[in-house]
Amino acid sequence: MRFLNTVRGAVAALGVCALAAAGSVGAVAPAHASATGSAAIGSFTYEVRGATVKVPVGCFLTHAVKGSGKRITSQLAGVDCVGVAATFSQFCNWRIDFAYADTNGKTYKTSRGATHAECAGAPLRNAAPQTLPVYGKTCAKLYLNGKLRAVQCHYVTK
């Protein structure tokens, strides 16, 4: 488990560097075969069963896609936190959706994830392999307590 957290932390750190180089958070990254990217989750608080939960700065929605052309062989999205946030962050009532849009940006399919009532330090979801009907983009969307908190997308191109 410690190894997995180290790998996840390294992926998040690389994603942060890529975002800084791109100059925008949540930007769509072109991917001809495989891609990994992260979008920052801003600090916020929310209520769970009468208790206030605070998510500090330092958490990211990381989204990885592998495949070629319209064929996605694996897709994974999860929350990674670094620094103090890695120690103190808990995500309750969370779900991760995968959304697919065509080249005009029109969403044609959403794979809605299960809502997890329990609290987790590192929510994670895998999507089944698939072949998309059209080129466009795939996005991971993180919801906490029913509210959209982060989106990270990759283009799916020839």
Side-chain angles (χ1 to χ4, degrees), residues 75-150:
Q75 187 171 197
L76 173 74
V79 175
D80 296 299
C81 297
V82 295
V84 175
T87 303
F88 297 108
S89 295
Q90 287 290 307
F91 299 88
C92 307
N93 295 328
W94 65 271
R95 85 169 196 263
I96 297 173
D97 294 351
F98 291 108
Y100 306 91
D102 62 21
T103 55
N104 294 319
K106 183 178 180 195
T107 300
Y108 62 85
K109 176 182 172 184
T110 298
S111 171
R112 184 180 170 124
T115 299
H116 300 268
E118 76 280 358
C119 298
L124 184 65
R125 179 170 181 225
N126 285 301
Q130 62 186 304
T131 300
L132 303 178
V134 296
Y135 288 107
K137 66 181 176 179
T138 177
C139 300
K141 297 181 176 188
L142 173 68
Y143 290 85
L144 295 170
N145 241 16
K147 185 171 182 182
L148 181 63
R149 293 294 181 174

